[in-house]
């Protein structure tokens, strides 16, 4: 929170390097460069405009951080009025989320965690139910086989199964059907495709 004076000096590139000025991101510099120094903790080459003292920056809020190259991290931040507006937006979002969860702002995180845990439990229960239904369907697989021109064909419509679940279902049927063709289809809601149809076709190897 110290209002440290920002100093700028123009000097030769080699002189700047000798005094310890830092250059970033592989920027190219001319013979003369602008060196920006802030107290004892920052000194670097920079051609942009800057405040006269650190206190002019006001509130400083980091909004993102990530890697841009090996050993190099990049942060994005807001300062001054922009940082204050960001904080107000976050507070507004927390209040709205609290209203949706019917909780106080302090209870938002623990209640959200509880809901996520409950959702995961329900998803596991749904997966177990789907597996049970697959097992029931495959128990009678041999009875559902039809022969078409000498080729045994098993056709089944499995509602609301994903491609991965259809593959698992196919493997279960293959354990019951010695040879032939398995055709499995599923009608499910896909958000990444304009078509809701999802199907897989598996050719069974002939038994020895």
């Amino acid at each position: 929170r110290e209002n440290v004076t920002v100093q700028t000096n123009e000097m030769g590139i080699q002189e700047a390097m000798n005094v310890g000025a830092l250059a970033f991101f592989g920027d190219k510099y001319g013979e003369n460069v602008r060196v920006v120094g802030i107290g004892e903790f920052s000194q670097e080459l920079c051609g942009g405009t800057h405040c006269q003292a650190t206190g002019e920056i006001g509130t400083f809020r980091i909004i993102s951080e990530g890697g841009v190259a090996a050993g190099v991290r990049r942060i994005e931040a807001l300062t001054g009025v922009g940082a204050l507006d960001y904080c107000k937006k976050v507070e507004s979002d927390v209040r709205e989320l609290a209203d949706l969860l019917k909780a106080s702002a302090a209870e938002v995180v623990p209640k959200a965690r509880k809901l996520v845990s409950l959702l995961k439990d329900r998803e596991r229960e749904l997966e177990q139910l789907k597996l049970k239904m697959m097992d029931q369907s495959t128990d009678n697989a041999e009875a559902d086989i039809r022969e078409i021109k000498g080729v045994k064909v098993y056709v089944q419509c499995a509602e609301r199964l994903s491609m991965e679940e259809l593959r698992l279902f196919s493997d279960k049927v293959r354990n019951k059907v010695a040879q032939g063709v398995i055709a499995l289809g599923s009608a499910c809601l896909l958000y990444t495709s304009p078509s809701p149809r999802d199907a897989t076709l598996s050719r069974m190897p002939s038994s020895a």
Side-chain angles (χ1 to χ4, degrees):
R1 294 180 179 273
E2 295 182 12
N3 192 28
V4 180
T5 300
V6 176
Q7 298 177 337
T8 60
N9 296 287
E10 291 189 3
M11 61 186 71
I13 181 67
Q14 190 58 52
E15 182 183 357
M17 295 301 179
N18 290 340
V19 299
L22 301 178
F24 297 97
F25 308 116
D27 292 341
K28 295 181 179 180
Y29 301 93
E31 293 183 1
N32 293 319
V33 294
R34 184 171 182 265
V35 179
V36 177
I38 304 176
E40 300 292 333
F41 54 85
S42 178
Q43 187 164 236
E44 61 186 74
L45 307 185
C46 187
T49 57
H50 294 273
C51 57
Q52 300 299 312
T54 56
E56 296 177 11
I57 297 173
T59 302
F60 182 88
R61 189 69 177 265
I62 295 175
I63 59 175
S64 69
E65 183 270 342
V68 294
V72 179
R73 308 293 292 180
R74 180 188 182 92
I75 67 170
E76 294 183 9
L78 297 172
T79 62
V81 176
L84 293 175
D85 290 341
Y86 176 80
C87 292
K88 291 178 182 178
K89 178 63 168 57
V90 171
E91 291 176 359
S92 176
D93 290 344
V94 171
R95 287 195 298 269
E96 183 176 353
L97 184 57
D99 290 340
L100 291 173
L101 295 176
K102 300 185 184 302
S104 67
E107 297 172 330
V108 165
V109 172
K111 190 158 188 178
R113 285 175 177 166
K114 183 177 180 180
L115 287 175
V116 170
S117 177
L118 181 61
L119 179 60
K120 288 181 179 179
D121 289 340
R122 294 295 178 265
E123 288 176 345
R124 282 193 291 268
E125 291 174 1
L126 179 60
E127 290 302 317
Q128 292 174 357
L129 179 59
K130 286 182 178 181
L131 290 175
K132 185 176 181 179
M133 293 176 65
M134 289 181 195
D135 291 337
Q136 292 176 346
S137 296
T138 54
D139 285 343
N140 299 320
E142 295 182 0
D144 294 332
I145 294 175
R146 291 179 293 177
E147 189 167 319
I148 301 176
K149 294 184 179 181
V151 178
K152 292 182 178 180
V153 179
Y154 176 85
V155 180
Q156 181 68 264
C157 179
E159 296 292 339
R160 300 181 182 277
L161 294 185
S162 66
M163 282 297 297
E164 186 63 31
E165 291 167 339
L166 279 174
R167 292 189 184 96
L168 178 60
F169 190 18
S170 175
D171 291 338
K172 288 180 175 292
V173 175
R174 288 171 61 179
N175 292 331
K176 295 287 184 178
V177 181
Q179 61 181 2
V181 174
I182 298 174
L184 301 177
S186 176
C188 60
L189 186 61
L190 298 178
Y191 295 100
T192 58
S193 172
S195 174
R197 298 299 301 175
D198 190 4
T200 182
L201 181 65
S202 176
R203 176 73 183 185
M204 292 297 299
S206 299
S207 59

